[in-house]
């Protein structure tokens, strides 16, 4: 007869996702589930074993805002919503992780020890959304038999050991090698004690199997699956999309008259000049064109419909507000920015000295990297309304992906 074991799952979502270009990968939507990377990484545990507590480790300094965002990502899954809506629902804890994965797991273990001690703990990367209940259940069963287990797959490529210069030192026998994934599962108490010891010794280990191996004993590998990949690089987004990526382009255009006694605003940057854009708002022609490009790409609306000039609310308003409100809508529809490129047609002044300030300002408003934004200026060779200095025009294109 199987004795009843208390099981907890620690899901690490503590990374800063710098390799993903700033987007927290755990919060990205997936195509294979109704939810996010984080919810997809968590959901299958509840059908694989009797989970009584879930701990999510967050990035250090996440604060209450980080917890709210993480909850939102977690409960994007209707299945998890249901599980946690029940009277006898599992415990849910959040804790800020540490500088290393080891520290984050350690914090999760200490939290469990304090709030809800268990018999078995399963540890999983929040960025592995393709984990299946089948793989988890094999790890869980092996933990009950042996005390420690992790899933793994045979390496596909031939493996070599190399030195720092890349010179091959050893030709490894592939048949005896395995690529370890998560989840990794352990009896709770010995793992906690091993972590305390590792922390006292001040040694950083590659993962929890190494810690267990050093301080406790043997770890057994169960059959993983090659799909159980970790989302790490921006191109891994293709994995989330079932290999096809949805992309859309947008085009925005705007023109404003230039008159004396108005500020020349371009991309949220005030350019010193004796004229500026006439307009109901601050007249930032560049932000208006970008706002329209984004709204158009997502087929949501346009700037005139969202912020009618007839509405007194927008009188002299900072156009950043338009862009921010539009961008929120676009993001909520699941889109991410590929890039924005713009042409400003203006006779004077020279825009080049302000280019990087403008790019940075737009990138800051959108919360993207400056590399995703480009602007360039053209004169009109003294022809027409642009050439006479009576107007400024902007064309903006953007690429969105989801
Ligand atoms: Mg306008």
């Amino acid at each position: 007869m199987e004795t009843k074991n208390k099981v907890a799952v620690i899901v690490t979502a503590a990374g800063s996702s710098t390799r993903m270009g700033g987007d927290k990968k755990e919060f990205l939507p997936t195509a294979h589930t109704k939810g996010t990377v984080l919810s997809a990484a968590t959901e299958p545990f509840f059908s694989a074993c009797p989970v009584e507590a879930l701990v999510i480790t967050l990035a250090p300094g996440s604060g209450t805002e980080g917890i709210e965002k993480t909850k939102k990502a977690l409960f994007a899954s209707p299945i998890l919503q249901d599980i946690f809506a029940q009277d006898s629902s599992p415990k849910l804890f959040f804790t800020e992780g540490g500088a290393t994965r080891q520290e984050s797991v350690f914090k999760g273990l200490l939290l469990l020890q304090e709030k809800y001690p268990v018999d078995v703990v399963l540890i999983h990367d929040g960025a592995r959304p393709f984990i299946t209940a089948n793989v988890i259940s094999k790890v869980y069963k092996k933990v009950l038999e042996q005390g420690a287990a992790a899933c793994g797959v045979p390496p596909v490529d031939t493996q070599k050991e190399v030195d720092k210069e890349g010179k091959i030192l050893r030709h490894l026998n592939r048949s005896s090698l395995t690529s370890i994934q998560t989840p990794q599962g352990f009896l709770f108490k010995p793992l906690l004690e091993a972590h305390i010891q590792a922390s006292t010794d001040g040694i950083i280990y590659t993962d929890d199997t190494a810690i267990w191996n050093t301080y406790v004993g043997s770890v057994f590998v169960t059959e993983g699956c090659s799909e159980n990949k970790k989302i790490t690089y921006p191109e891994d987004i293709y994995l989330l999309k079932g290999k096809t990526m949805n992309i859309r382009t947008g085009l925005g255009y705007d023109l404003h008259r230039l008159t004396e006694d108005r500020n020349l605003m371009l991309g949220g940057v005030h350019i010193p000049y004796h004229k500026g854009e006439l307009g109901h708002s601050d007249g930032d022609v560049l932000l208006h064109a970008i706002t329209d490009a984004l709204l158009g790409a997502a087929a949501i609306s346009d700037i005139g419909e969202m912020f009618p000039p007839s509405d007194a609310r927008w009188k002299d308003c900072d156009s950043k507000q338009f862009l921010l409100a539009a961008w929120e809508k676009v993001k909520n529809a699941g889109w991410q920015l590929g890039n924005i490129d713009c042409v400003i047609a203006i006779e004077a002044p020279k825009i080049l000295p302000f280019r990087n300030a403008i790019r940075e300002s737009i990138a800051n408003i959108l919360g993207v990297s400056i590399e995703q934004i480009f602007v360039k200026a053209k004169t009109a060779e003294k022809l027409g309304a642009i050439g006479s200095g009576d107007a400024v025009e902007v064309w903006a294109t953007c690429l969105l992906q989801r």
Side-chain angles (χ1 to χ4, degrees), residues 11 25-33 35-45 124-133 136 182 225 227-232 236-237 239-241:
V11 175
K25 58 196 171 189
E26 289 87 355
F27 297 167
L28 296 174
T30 68
H32 70 292
T33 63
T36 59
V37 169
L38 180 67
S39 66
T42 308
E43 230 176 66
F45 282 88
H124 187 56
D125 294 329
R128 287 189 195 264
F130 304 105
I131 186 63
T132 62
I136 297 167
T182 70
C225 63
E227 290 77 25
N228 182 21
K229 288 197 171 61
K230 189 170 177 179
I231 303 298
T232 308
D236 293 341
I237 197 99
L239 299 170
L240 299 176
K241 306 304 168 200

Side-chain angles (χ1 to χ4, degrees), residues 25 30 38 45 49 54 105 107 113 137 156 187 212 301 351:
K25 58 196 171 189
T30 68
L38 180 67
F45 282 88
C49 49
L54 172 64
V105 171
K107 285 190 170 188
Q113 173 67 10
S137 128
V156 176
L187 295 179
W212 182 279
S301 181
I351 302 303

